[in-house]
């Protein structure tokens, strides 16, 4: 049985970045990954990514200075900024680059599927084709985490993220469609540089309507789960990072930046755990306290905003565009990772008027 300091299940964004950080700190790290292929997502990240990684030019497909938002009756506003606020990444190259970086500093990557984990008094045991032992186990294995399942932690709510590949694209701008007939809980989108249309949805039936209404012909479809809402992220000898514990923005479903933030926190807590030889649940709970300090409030606010949005009708979405479109266009300095701050920048009196006019949004919660 091969022994490691830390075994990370999953070499996606969270696992590869954490593997790199921990190996740099002198720990013996194994990354166990089931897929040689890099997961496909839209690859939009805020420019805050530069705080974590020196992103080379070749990893950036497009710098984003504006995004177009379209309402059900084709009202439009732009979220814009003088300087780029986000990038479209070369997603496959980015994923490969992250894995290579971890490997180059000395992390071991083995391509095997983790089938089972077991936490004993002295080790975390991971069963792939062979058996591996680590002093600590990190589940960075995405929304359908096997590690989370074996720890018996509650699952976050899971939605479907659909990406349609097309040959050509009629849009100029990255476009977000807020239309309940496309996606009742979230939104649909178009990213011209990726030749991509997409949507987050619970009910994939609406995707046919989306295709017909926008008028595109997909040549390929990829779908992956998107977790919404956080779960517990620590246990004896074990942490969860990234999608595995729902470290995702509830408004957009984006999790790349939150994965980097939380991997940083995990590496800090784990290096302290190794210094003190403390791998118990009580000590590792520090990890959750610290990452929640960074993004917990924003996740809670975004969950609340999403609850309001989920209840809105198409008519109310149109009213929102009419009332606030110009105000949103006038906001220049915003943090793309903290969408709630955009709402706080809107005129408070108008928000109050909107909520009073649509009072049912405040009181009638639906759970589905
Ligand atoms: C359609 C779609 C579009 C998206 N667009 C964006 C976007 O534009 N911007 C953004 O920030 N986020 C986006 N996301 C979310 C983003 O993909 C995730 O939040 C991010 O990749 C989280 O990284 P992760 O490392 O936690 O999980 P993942 O990237 O899912 O990585 C998990 C890794 O674990 C591996 N794995 C899983 N199970 C096992 C196992 N049993 N054994 C071994 N390995 C295993 C997987 O193969 C995978 O490599 C999108 C998601 C979807 C579905």
């Amino acid at each position: 049985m091969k022994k490691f300091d830390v075994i990370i299940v999953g070499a996606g964004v969270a696992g590869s970045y954490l593997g790199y950080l921990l190996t740099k700190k002198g720990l013996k790290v194994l990354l166990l990954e089931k897929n040689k292929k890099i997961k496909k997502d839209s690859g939009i990240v805020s420019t805050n990514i530069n705080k974590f990684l020196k992103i080379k030019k070749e990893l950036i497909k497009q710098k984003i200075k504006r995004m177009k938002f379209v309402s059900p009756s084709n009202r439009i506003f732009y979220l814009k900024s003088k300087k780029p606020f986000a990038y479209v990444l070369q997603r496959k190259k980015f994923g490969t680059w992250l894995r290579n970086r971890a490997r180059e500093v000395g992390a071991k990557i083995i391509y095997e599927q983790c089938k089972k984990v077991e936490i004993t008094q002295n080790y975390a045991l991971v069963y792939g084709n062979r058996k591996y032992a680590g002093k600590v186990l990190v589940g960075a294995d995405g929304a359908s985490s096997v590690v989370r399942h074996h720890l018996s932690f509650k699952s976050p709510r899971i939605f479907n993220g659909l990406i349609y590949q097309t040959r050509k694209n009629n849009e100029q701008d990255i476009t977000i469609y807020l239309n309940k007939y496309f996606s009742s809980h979230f939104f649909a989108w178009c990213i011209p540089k990726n030749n991509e249309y997409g949507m987050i949805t619970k009910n994939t039936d609406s995707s046919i309507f989306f295709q017909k209404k926008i008028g595109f012909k997909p040549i390929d479809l990829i779908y992956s789960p998107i977790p919404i809402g956080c779960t517990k992220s620590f246990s004896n000898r074990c942490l969860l990072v990234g999608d595995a514990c729902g470290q995702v923005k509830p408004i957009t479903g984006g999790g790349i930046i939150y994965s980097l933030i939380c991997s940083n926190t995990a590496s800090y807590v784990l290096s302290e755990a190794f210094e003190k030889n403390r791998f118990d649940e009580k000590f590792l709970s520090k990890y959750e306290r610290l990452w929640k300090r960074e993004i917990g409030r924003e996740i809670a606010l975004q969950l609340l905003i999403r609850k309001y949005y989920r209840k809105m009708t198409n008519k109310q979405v149109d009213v929102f565009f009419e009332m606030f479109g110009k105000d949103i266009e006038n906001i220049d300095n915003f943090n793309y990772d903290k969408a709630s701050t955009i709402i706080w920048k809107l005129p408070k009196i108008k928000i109050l008027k909107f909520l009073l006019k649509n009072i049912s949004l405040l009181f009638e919660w639906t759970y589905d």
Side-chain angles (χ1 to χ4, degrees), residues 1 6 8 41 74 116 143 160 186 302 357 363 368:
M1 182 171 62
V6 183
I8 302 174
D41 64 30
N74 282 325
K116 193 178 122 183
N160 297 308
F186 287 90
Q302 290 201 17
K357 242 179 150 179
F363 296 111
D368 51 342

Side-chain angles (χ1 to χ4, degrees), residues 29-76:
V29 175
L30 167 66
L31 280 153
L32 201 69
E33 168 57 55
K34 71 174 178 184
N35 265 326
K36 284 209 165 149
K37 260 174 88 174
I38 301 292
K39 170 183 160 184
K40 168 91 182 110
D41 64 30
S42 303
I44 295 187
V45 291
S46 73
T47 47
N48 290 332
I49 195 165
N50 294 310
K51 290 183 189 162
F52 303 94
L53 298 161
K54 281 202 177 111
I55 292 290
K56 294 184 218 146
K57 269 191 193 154
E58 348 29 306
L59 297 178
I60 299 173
K61 202 181 260 183
Q62 185 188 354
K63 293 184 179 178
I64 307 171
K65 281 188 183 171
R66 69 174 203 174
M67 269 182 194
K68 181 175 162 187
F69 286 75
V70 181
S71 84
S73 65
N74 282 325
R75 287 193 168 87
I76 287 169

Side-chain angles (χ1 to χ4, degrees), residues 11-21 31 38 49 52-55 59 89 91-105 107 109 256 259-260:
V13 177
S16 302
Y17 184 55
L18 180 60
Y20 166 83
L21 294 174
L31 280 153
I38 301 292
I49 195 165
F52 303 94
L53 298 161
K54 281 202 177 111
I55 292 290
L59 297 178
L89 293 175
R91 188 57 180 86
K92 281 201 173 148
K93 276 192 190 164
F94 173 67
T96 310
W97 177 73
L98 279 180
R99 279 187 192 171
N100 287 343
R101 264 174 111 233
R103 194 186 285 113
E104 277 159 18
V105 292
I109 303 186
I256 296 176
S259 291
L260 297 175

Side-chain angles (χ1 to χ4, degrees), residues 239-285:
L239 298 183
L240 296 180
V241 187
D243 275 17
C245 60
Q247 288 161 344
V248 164
K249 299 180 227 172
I251 292 182
T252 65
I256 296 176
I257 294 285
Y258 282 13
S259 291
L260 297 175
I261 293 174
C262 297
S263 297
N264 238 340
T265 309
S267 96
Y268 168 74
V269 173
L270 287 180
S271 66
E272 203 174 281
F274 275 89
E275 269 167 35
K276 296 187 172 155
N277 204 26
R278 287 278 311 268
F279 307 109
D280 53 288
E281 177 158 6
K282 189 163 179 238
F283 185 84
L284 295 179
S285 67

